[in-house]
């Protein structure tokens, strides 16, 4: 069984700071922190960066199809996307997707936020993102456009990625 922590990137289109430079950097920072702590998981933990997601989830689908072909047993996967944006005037929070996802992994992520993060979670439907970055998929998805781009907010998500990897991967010391 293995645990996945994922982000995505755009090799050609939509190279945005928030979508999804922030998610990619979030899990890269989690990976860096785990390596620095000499993390030695009891079960396999993988960090994935998918491409071609805006073209129909092509990168993640290719991995899923390969894992299915090889009978790889995935215990859980958590996707980190657009983790830097805090809309001016809105509370800082972690949006946890509740539709089209595994309810047990969703519940685990809620518990991890409560246990390890300094900000609360809110339940989010993937179709409802009123506090999302309106600059995604444009030349204005940059860190210098708005003070709503927050590295400290990204760090909260990195903490969640670390907690996800450690809690599900275990840790042999």
């Amino acid at each position: 069984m293995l645990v996945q922590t994922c982000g995505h990137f755009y090799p050609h289109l939509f190279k945005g700071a928030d979508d999804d430079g922030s998610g990619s950097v979030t899990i890269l920072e989690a990976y860096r922190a785990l390596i620095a702590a000499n993390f030695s998981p009891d079960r396999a933990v993988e960090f994935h960066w998918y491409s071609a997601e805006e073209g129909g989830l092509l990168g993640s689908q290719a991995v899923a199809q390969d894992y299915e072909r090889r009978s790889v047993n995935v215990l859980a996967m958590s996707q980190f996307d657009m983790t830097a944006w805090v809309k001016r005037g809105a509370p800082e929070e972690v949006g946890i997707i509740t539709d089209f996802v595994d309810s047990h992994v969703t519940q685990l992520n809620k518990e991890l936020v409560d246990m390890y993060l300094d900000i609360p979670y809110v339940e989010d439907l993937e179709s409802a993102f009123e506090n999302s970055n309106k600059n995604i998929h444009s030349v204005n998805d940059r860190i210098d456009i708005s003070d709503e781009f927050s590295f400290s907010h990204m760090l909260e998500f990195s903490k969640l990625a670390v907690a996800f990897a450690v809690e599900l991967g275990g840790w042999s010391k």
Side-chain angles (χ1 to χ4, degrees), residues 2-172:
L2 69 94
V3 177
Q4 291 178 333
T5 302
C6 310
H8 73 273
F9 64 95
Y10 303 117
H12 304 296
L13 305 171
F14 316 127
K15 298 174 186 167
D18 194 27
D19 187 18
D20 188 33
S22 63
S24 293
V25 170
T26 290
I27 66 168
L28 185 61
E29 173 59 16
Y31 182 71
R32 185 210 59 78
L34 289 167
I35 295 298
N38 294 315
F39 178 54
S40 177
D42 295 327
R43 68 171 45 100
V45 174
E46 296 181 351
F47 286 76
H48 291 204
W49 287 265
Y50 301 123
S51 66
E53 293 302 274
E54 298 295 332
L57 305 176
L58 300 177
S60 58
Q61 288 296 322
V63 171
Q65 289 167 0
D66 176 62
Y67 281 8
E68 182 178 44
R69 182 182 55 75
R70 295 187 296 124
S71 299
V72 175
N73 188 3
V74 177
L75 175 64
M77 186 271 273
S78 195
Q79 166 75 20
F80 292 81
D81 190 4
M82 298 189 303
T83 62
W85 197 259
V86 180
K87 183 177 179 180
R88 195 173 295 107
E92 191 172 353
E93 57 200 14
V94 173
I96 295 182
I97 305 299
T98 57
D99 58 344
F100 310 110
V101 294
D102 182 275
S103 62
H104 297 99
V105 175
T106 299
Q107 183 59 37
L108 172 67
N109 275 318
K110 291 175 185 179
E111 292 170 8
L112 294 175
V113 169
D114 286 343
M115 211 176 323
Y116 296 109
L117 274 58
D118 295 325
I119 59 176
Y121 69 84
V122 294
E123 291 186 1
D124 238 332
L125 297 177
E126 189 161 12
S127 57
F129 285 98
E130 68 268 1
N131 290 335
S132 291
N133 181 349
K134 302 303 183 229
N135 294 320
I136 63 167
H137 301 169
S138 79
V139 297
N140 291 325
D141 188 2
R142 305 185 339 232
I143 64 174
D144 62 334
I145 292 292
S146 173
D147 62 354
E148 294 167 302
F149 188 95
S150 170
F151 286 104
S152 63
H153 191 63
M154 286 171 57
L155 185 58
E156 291 297 309
F157 283 89
S158 292
K159 289 164 43 178
L160 179 57
V162 166
F164 189 83
V166 171
E167 292 291 338
L168 289 175
W171 190 335
S172 300

